Amino acid sequence: MMVWISFIVCVFIFLALDLGVFNKTPHTISSKEAGIWTAIWVSLSFAFSGVIYWLYHSNLIENPDKLKPAEASIKFITGYLIELSLSADNIFVIAIIFTSFKIAQKFQHRVLFWGIIGAIIFRGLMIFFGVVLIRKFDWITYVFGSFLVFTALKMLFKKEDEEEFNPKKSAIYKIIGKIIPISQHRDSEHFIIKENNRNYATPLLVALLVIEVMDVVFAMDSVPAILAITSDPFLVFSSNIFAILGLRSMYFFLANMLQKFSYLEYSLIAILTFVGLKMLLIHFYKFPEWVSLSFIAVSLITGIVVSLKMAEKANNKKPSRDEE
């Protein structure tokens, strides 16, 4: 329990420093600043795999699956990459939510900060119940595996003219409006303001709650996906948390380049299909850890490279001003 407590305390200490020191004053986060923080979080995540090796080598944490230290480290990295790749969908949806509610860039970090607090709590609960289900009922792996394959097929055959997600038409927006009136005041960093002796929810609060609900929806894919790699609670939780913590900086880093990564969705489809099949076959064949890690890494790299190449090709086809 000391390892769990120490890990959670370290996470909340950093979050406190983040809001109280690094981002005490609301400001627009530049691509350069976001890029630096993204690099820091990715580096910390990979460095933590070394901590995982030490913890499991020293028997400082419960090891229900009797994993070897190197095996535990690989499972952590694989799980982290899965969560990071599936976070791409979150980034697209977050961009839509911020645009829909016209959230100023200088306040977006504040919304995402509190969104992470909620995500840690909800993910923790979902992971706990997911691990309990898998350990108690072996057949649940077939349910999770089938769900992941179904999700991948749904993404693959999604109609191009399918209506885009509209936060203002969502159920959570309508529910909030029934509980508390929504103000259109956007110049405040507060989530609730008082006008004419009456409390109003600001667009920041509405955006935060919609993001929280959407994170739970996305966790329905990501939690079963990582449970296909390992059911070790600490590995599942820590890899999830590192991916969530790096999501904010990654959002600001990629916010202006989302269209360039349009082919990354096919990487996500491939990853979901792979981990789904892995769960369906778990009682018949176990893929070596290096196979899972290699497949996920190659899928991500391929999606990024193809996206950048196609974006470059599309830009080259655009006529210059002189040609026009």
Side-chain angles (χ1 to χ4, degrees):
M1 287 302 297
M2 284 305 298
V3 174
W4 279 88
I5 293 170
S6 300
F7 179 75
I8 293 171
V9 167
C10 286
V11 169
F12 280 100
I13 286 175
F14 178 81
L15 288 173
L17 289 172
D18 187 351
L19 192 65
V21 179
F22 300 120
N23 293 283
K24 187 176 183 179
T25 304
H27 67 285
T28 300
I29 297 178
S30 65
S31 295
K32 181 180 179 182
E33 181 182 352
I36 291 172
W37 277 109
T38 299
I40 289 173
W41 274 116
V42 172
S43 299
L44 283 174
S45 302
F46 278 91
F48 192 74
S49 66
V51 176
I52 293 289
Y53 184 95
W54 172 68
L55 289 173
Y56 283 76
H57 178 72
S58 305
N59 295 318
L60 294 175
I61 191 166
E62 186 180 0
N63 188 358
D65 295 336
K66 309 300 179 185
L67 299 173
K68 294 179 180 179
E71 190 180 6
S73 294
I74 293 175
K75 283 182 179 290
F76 169 81
I77 294 172
T78 305
Y80 170 71
L81 289 177
I82 286 178
E83 294 303 313
L84 203 62
S85 61
L86 294 177
S87 294
D89 272 354
N90 294 47
I91 291 174
F92 280 91
V93 172
I94 290 170
I96 292 171
I97 293 170
F98 282 154
T99 301
S100 178
F101 293 113
K102 297 183 173 67
I103 305 298
Q105 287 189 344
K106 64 180 180 179
F107 297 138
Q108 290 178 4
H109 180 276
R110 181 178 177 81
V111 174
L112 290 179
F113 172 87
W114 290 107
I116 282 176
I117 301 293
I120 290 173
I121 296 171
F122 287 126
R123 293 290 179 99
L125 290 172
M126 292 182 75
I127 288 167
F128 172 77
F129 288 112
V131 170
V132 169
L133 285 173
I134 281 183
R135 294 195 182 282
K136 189 158 185 154
F137 307 105
D138 284 346
W139 53 265
I140 204 72
T141 57
Y142 299 124
V143 176
F144 286 164
S146 300
F147 176 72
L148 292 175
V149 174
F150 170 76
T151 303
L153 292 173
K154 188 178 177 182
M155 290 173 64
L156 181 62
F157 295 107
K158 182 175 64 176
K159 295 179 181 178
E160 291 185 6
D161 58 348
E162 190 172 312
E163 187 177 354
E164 193 177 52
F165 170 68
N166 186 342
K168 291 187 176 180
K169 291 182 179 179
S170 63
I172 183 65
Y173 181 81
K174 295 174 183 176
I175 292 171
I176 295 168
K178 291 180 180 179
I179 297 174
I180 182 172
I182 299 172
S183 170
Q184 298 306 313
H185 188 71
R186 294 183 173 83
D187 297 327
S188 171
E189 64 178 292
H190 300 291
F191 293 110
I192 296 177
I193 59 173
K194 183 168 281 191
E195 294 178 354
N196 300 322
N197 294 321
R198 191 178 182 187
N199 289 327
Y200 286 83
T202 66
L204 263 69
L205 177 62
V206 180
L208 171 63
L209 294 176
V210 174
I211 287 174
E212 290 288 11
V213 172
M214 293 310 299
D215 181 73
V216 172
V217 172
F218 282 117
M220 296 293 288
D221 295 337
S222 63
V223 171
I226 194 172
L227 288 174
I229 303 301
T230 178
S231 59
D232 183 298
F234 186 73
L235 294 179
V236 177
F237 183 71
S238 58
S239 58
N240 249 273
I241 297 306
F242 270 102
I244 292 171
L245 290 174
L247 179 61
R248 284 171 310 157
S249 55
M250 189 174 294
Y251 167 77
F252 291 111
F253 181 61
L254 298 176
N256 299 320
M257 301 184 290
L258 291 177
Q259 296 303 319
K260 288 185 178 180
F261 296 95
S262 57
Y263 286 85
L264 193 59
E265 185 174 7
Y266 293 101
S267 296
L268 305 185
I269 292 171
I271 291 170
L272 283 174
T273 303
F274 175 78
V275 295
L277 291 174
K278 186 176 180 180
M279 290 195 97
L280 291 173
L281 298 172
I282 194 167
H283 294 124
F284 306 98
Y285 177 75
K286 291 188 177 181
F287 291 89
E289 294 308 318
W290 66 267
V291 172
S292 300
L293 181 57
S294 300
F295 183 88
I296 292 164
V298 170
S299 297
L300 282 175
I301 294 170
T302 302
I304 293 170
V305 171
V306 172
S307 295
L308 294 176
K309 287 287 184 183
M310 296 304 290
E312 183 182 355
K313 189 176 180 180
N315 288 332
N316 291 336
K317 283 185 177 179
K318 288 181 181 179
S320 62
R321 289 185 179 180
D322 292 337
E323 290 175 336
E324 291 176 348

